Amino acid sequence: MTTPAYAAISDAPAEDRLAYAITEIARQSPESIAIVRSAGGDGRWAITYSTLAAQVTALEAALDATRPVGIVARAKRIESLVVIAAACGRQHVPVAFLADDSRDLSGALRDWIEVDDSLELPPSAGRPRLEFEAISPHVVVATSGTSGPPKLVEHSWDSLLAAARLAEQWHGLGWLLAYDSTRWAGIQVWLQALLTGGRLVVPASRDPDTVARALAEESVAVLPATPTLLRRLLASADRSVLEKAALGRITLGGEAADGPLLSDAQAVFPQAKITQVYATTELGEVFRVADGRPGFPAAWLGKSLPGGASLATRRDGELLVQLSRDTAEVGTGDLVERRGDRYEFTGRRSDVIVVGGAKVFPKRVEEMLRSVAGIAEARVYGLPSGITGELVAAEIVLTEPLPASASPESIRAAALAICRESLEPHSVPRILDIVKRIATTAAGKTPRRPISAGRS
Amino acid sequence: MNVSVSEAIAAAIRTVLHDTGREAKAIEPTMLLSADLGLDSLDLAQTIVLLERSLGIDPFRSASGARPAIRSVADLVAVYTQALTQS
């Protein structure tokens, strides 16, 4: 697949690169599949690079004729989002991707034009027009709102593409899109897949069996996921289907992974190289760890990492990142703790539950609960209390089938007993509910606050 | 005394004792929460969350200002009975 023209993709200006890659790959192998939608479900649907390229060209012509000040991508279909991004980039038109929970932020993008799945521009009479050279093309993405309400963040195409791997070993692979396609993490996945002539595989739903079928049937090679999504896949999907998947790589991000998850994943996918990526919407990718252990080497602190970032900790354990010498040090909100030769993540500062003045790290309690035989998944959160400020509450999902001679009640009692033995009294869950499934946030993470009234 | 309220409170306290690995006993209105039942503030906080689920109210979270001391099971019953008649 590497020809001089293909190699030139990385030489193109960042904002041109996606459109350039799609048209170039369409020219070389027009019938190769760019995107598979509804994978693993009924109504599987695929689009080729040549069809995608034709849509990019058509939208570019329309953008060139009207020169809008910006485009808000309102499309629901993944291929429309790709076409809008590619065309806007090469035509120097700023583009915004707004997830469902950030739709009301579009008021900040006054005069921007909305484009939906029809990929048509509304009549532009009376609209302000901007010349090609007058604006710097950029991309607006909403943060996931893990730590506060979603907000709009403006990125250059250079920063958006900074983490994309364009070397030959990445060419022509199948990528699973488990993330929301309008968020930073999801955008990274589809950009990566389409810049490298790959096949983007979008599962029909987040149901673990559907995702497992998508992995196996579409020969997915790379699975980017949050630890929560991977844990659910390993805990709930049909193992015989999962083991048919030929994953070469699992890229974890968005949350910290724990040791048991990393070793479980390696056992189910022995061929897969498992990488943990530390990135935020604001900073982009900061570092990756690929040694199969949680956290990162303690020796990294105070050193300049590949990519130029350097790490430090605040006195309370918050991880600080300085992206380069000439940028300011930024607090990440993530708390780390030294354990032997590693720094491990203990949770987000905003996730800390305060019970009678004492701090509880939900991640640690969740790990304790998941270590109990018969518990597949756990979520720990704080419930407001008029007596102690907050109270530790937890939801657990039991394994199917249950371990021999265990009952839901015996597993619940065992979980409480183990927590009592191993945790400080204020960290022991006081409310422990057995649920069918644990909700995830739109970004595929485990929520740390009560959902509705805290009950299902 | 409101029977359903006192039953709900007794059930909640028994759950707290059971969940924390202590022996559940017969709960009498005159019993002192701390001295007789051994409930600490975490136990009380759990009791109140359980009661919010069974009775639908949390009188300790909504109201502000001075509150009479809650020392006995009967004190707790009185707070909930009053809160339920007001709601």
Side-chain angles (χ1 to χ4, degrees), chain A residues 87-98:
Chain A
C88 286
R90 191 150 66 180
Q91 289 301 317
H92 282 212
V93 175
V95 58
F97 295 101
L98 301 185

Side-chain angles (χ1 to χ4, degrees), chain A residues 156-179:
Chain A
S156 68
W157 276 91
D158 278 309
S159 75
L160 199 68
L161 299 183
R165 303 293 206 255
L166 300 179
E168 190 178 354
Q169 64 173 116
W170 297 95
H171 292 183
L173 302 175
W175 293 76
L176 192 94
L177 181 63
Y179 296 127

Side-chain angles (χ1 to χ4, degrees), chain A residues 18 32 39 55 61 73 99 102 151 212 235-236 239 276-277 283 292 329 333 339 343 346 357 365 393 400 434 437 444:
Chain A
L18 181 60
S32 85
Q55 293 183 359
S102 51
K151 56 179 189 287
S236 312
R239 271 297 157 92
Q276 304 166 65
V277 178
L283 295 171
E329 200 169 50
R339 286 180 202 155
Y343 274 97
T346 50
V365 183
E400 277 179 56
I434 297 173
R437 59 168 295 175

Side-chain angles (χ1 to χ4, degrees), chain A residues 353-356 382-392 430-431 449-450, chain B residues 41-50 52 58-62:
Chain A
I353 303 167
V354 181
V355 181
L383 272 179
S385 164
I387 306 293
T388 54
E390 284 186 289
L391 196 64
V392 178
R430 284 308 187 122
I431 298 296
R449 294 291 133 195
Chain B
S41 62
L42 276 172
D43 296 326
L44 190 57
Q46 181 185 354
T47 307
I48 288 161
V49 172
L50 292 172
E52 185 178 11
D58 179 355
F60 296 86
R61 190 152 31 118
S62 44

Side-chain angles (χ1 to χ4, degrees), chain A residues 412 420 430-431 433 455, chain B residues 19-20 42-43 46 53:
Chain A
R412 186 176 177 281
R420 271 202 307 277
R430 284 308 187 122
I431 298 296
D433 293 319
R455 286 204 89 177
Chain B
D19 274 2
T20 50
L42 276 172
D43 296 326
Q46 181 185 354
R53 290 181 168 189

Side-chain angles (χ1 to χ4, degrees), chain B residues 62-73:
Chain B
S62 44
S64 55
R67 183 183 304 288
I70 309 290
R71 291 172 46 76
S72 66
V73 174

Side-chain angles (χ1 to χ4, degrees), chain A residues 47-73:
Chain A
I47 186 169
T48 61
Y49 272 94
S50 65
T51 309
L52 210 52
Q55 293 183 359
V56 172
T57 307
L59 184 58
E60 280 196 73
L63 289 170
D64 186 44
T66 54
R67 306 257 23 113
V69 292
I71 293 291
V72 177

Side-chain angles (χ1 to χ4, degrees), chain A residues 10 18 50 57 83 103 120 222-223 258 268 300 313 367 372 393 395 407 429 438:
Chain A
S10 52
L18 181 60
S50 65
T57 307
V83 168
R103 291 274 151 121
E120 279 166 11
V222 191
L223 170 63
D258 51 277
V268 176
W300 285 10
T313 53
E367 287 170 19
V372 176
E395 292 177 337
S407 67
I438 287 170

